[in-house]
Amino acid sequence: MTDQHSHRLPSSLEVAPEAPDRNLALELVRVTEAAAMAAGRWVGKGDKNGADGAAVRAMRTLVHTVSMNGVVVIGEGEKDEAPMLFNGERIGDGTGAECDVAVDPIDGTTLTAKGMPNAIAVLAVADRGTMFDPSAVFYMDKLVAGPEAAGLVDINAPVAHNIQAVARAKGTAPEDVTVVLLDRPRHEKLAQEIREAGARIKFISDGDVAGAIMAVREGTGVDLLLGVGGTPEGIITACAIKCLGGVIQGKLWPKDDAERQKALDAGHDLDRVLSTDDLVSGDNVFFVATGITDGELLRGVRYRSETATTSSLVMRSKSGTIRQIDSEHKLSKLRAYSAVDFDRAN
């Protein structure tokens, strides 16, 4: 006799929803908070190497407690030049699937040393093998814009076209568009073209990861990033854009004939426009940033007699969740259990 109430197997059209998995970004933010608090003691002291060293030590100490099996793809440099967080170093506690890791303990060491705005500590993680290898060419010509203009801008188009496209997408005039631009001699002609197109310029001395995120994030007063900056920073920016939406377009920019030949020998097409997906493929990207100094993007570290406060941006592409996390850290508690010295610059 057949049991008419027996359980039937689900058809191919009845797929159970995937259970939410762990949001690694909520662990990673502890790492950027530690780097920011260590670097924060060096703000305005005129020693960018001291600041960077403190941030690197703090980030490396904390990142090994994170539940991941990571390989540094974008770090402080090759092993011989950087004893910590070097390219190829394995980080995390060794559990879970392998992943690519991009670290920038301080995006804006000079900003930190001079007490200038928008220095941040940054960490990005993606599935293993999904981040672009930045080793061939150190510099990249970049265009970064928000979601509304993503399909309208083109790095190969004239500057005026892109400014007009952003203005049109935002329902404003070119005179209302603000372009963030690294203050470098190589950008003199670009700055002139931006001004001739009617747009405003926000010059930054360093920190083009923060500058790029400002171009994508609402409420920062920045609408577009243009110009040549670091290739590693371009890949980290792409990780953020995977989470925020928007677009980054990049073209490798060799600084001399030797680097050009090195890139060609490695098989790179220097005319190719690298998209967001070229710079980081897949859709399982985690991005965290903590402010070191105050800026349009994040508030810097604040110290009181027994506490420090931090402001962080915590994002994941898979879920589309963006969190702004403000934390208060009791220094007496940190002293008790942490291997990182947050009390002073040393």
Side-chain angles (χ1 to χ4, degrees):
M1 185 174 180
T2 303
D3 180 0
Q4 297 186 14
H5 299 286
S6 61
H7 296 289
R8 60 186 176 87
L9 293 173
S11 72
S12 60
L13 298 177
E14 294 175 313
V15 179
E18 182 181 357
D21 57 357
R22 179 173 56 92
N23 189 343
L24 185 63
L26 294 175
E27 288 189 62
L28 297 173
V29 72
R30 296 188 298 109
V31 180
T32 54
E33 286 174 344
M37 285 190 289
R41 292 300 195 187
W42 294 79
V43 169
K45 293 184 179 292
D47 184 354
K48 68 177 186 179
N49 292 328
D52 192 50
V56 168
R57 288 192 297 272
M59 181 170 277
R60 189 171 188 261
T61 299
L62 267 291
V63 80
H64 282 299
T65 71
V66 175
S67 303
M68 68 177 182
N69 188 0
V71 177
V72 176
V73 174
I74 297 169
E76 292 292 284
E78 299 301 323
K79 184 176 181 179
D80 292 342
E81 297 293 330
M84 292 187 285
L85 298 179
F86 55 84
N87 297 348
E89 182 177 359
R90 288 203 165 267
I91 57 176
D93 68 1
T95 62
E98 289 201 357
C99 52
D100 287 351
V101 182
V103 301
D104 199 346
I106 304 180
D107 176 47
T109 53
T110 300
L111 301 177
T112 301
K114 293 183 176 180
M116 296 171 67
N118 291 311
I120 59 176
V122 179
L123 184 60
V125 174
D127 293 336
R128 185 76 180 115
T130 58
M131 288 188 191
F132 184 82
D133 180 1
S135 60
V137 179
F138 184 76
Y139 289 106
M140 175 186 288
D141 190 15
K142 306 174 199 173
L143 178 153
V144 178
E148 60 284 307
L152 303 174
V153 291
D154 180 358
I155 195 170
N156 286 327
V159 169
H161 165 87
N162 289 317
I163 289 170
Q164 289 164 7
V166 170
R168 191 163 58 249
K170 293 195 167 190
T172 61
E175 289 75 18
D176 300 320
V177 172
T178 297
V179 181
V180 68
L181 186 65
L182 278 169
D183 191 1
R184 299 288 188 271
R186 62 177 176 261
H187 289 152
E188 284 182 11
K189 183 174 182 295
L190 179 56
Q192 181 182 345
E193 292 174 352
I194 292 169
R195 288 167 174 147
E196 288 173 353
R200 301 178 295 178
I201 299 175
K202 177 181 175 62
F203 282 110
I204 55 174
S205 62
D206 294 278
D208 65 337
V209 173
I213 297 172
M214 283 190 278
V216 174
R217 193 142 166 80
E218 283 292 332
T220 63
V222 172
D223 306 290
L224 184 66
L225 175 137
L226 295 173
V228 175
T231 301
E233 288 82 358
I235 298 162
I236 294 172
T237 295
C239 291
I241 286 173
K242 277 279 184 171
C243 302
L244 285 166
V247 64
I248 178 171
Q249 296 175 6
K251 296 176 73 173
L252 296 176
W253 193 84
K255 66 179 183 293
D256 52 34
D257 289 341
E259 194 171 73
R260 172 178 290 275
Q261 192 57 52
K262 177 185 174 185
L264 293 172
D265 291 345
H268 289 285
D269 179 358
L270 298 178
D271 293 322
R272 179 187 175 195
V273 175
L274 297 166
S275 68
T276 309
D277 286 333
D278 292 323
L279 297 174
V280 58
S281 59
D283 193 34
N284 191 31
V285 180
F286 303 89
F287 179 94
V288 293
T290 301
I292 298 170
T293 60
D294 287 350
E296 290 89 343
L297 191 63
L298 290 164
R299 193 181 65 249
V301 181
R302 306 284 175 85
Y303 297 97
R304 298 182 181 86
S305 60
E306 282 298 319
T307 62
T309 59
T310 56
S311 175
S312 302
L313 195 59
V314 180
M315 307 186 288
R316 185 186 188 186
S317 65
K318 191 174 182 180
S319 63
T321 303
I322 301 169
R323 292 179 171 91
Q324 183 106 20
I325 295 180
D326 294 323
S327 303
E328 182 175 296
H329 310 266
K330 291 193 179 299
L331 296 178
S332 59
K333 299 283 188 181
L334 292 178
R335 290 186 204 107
Y337 76 83
S338 179
V340 179
D341 186 356
F342 299 111
D343 285 343
R344 61 188 181 276
N346 54 17

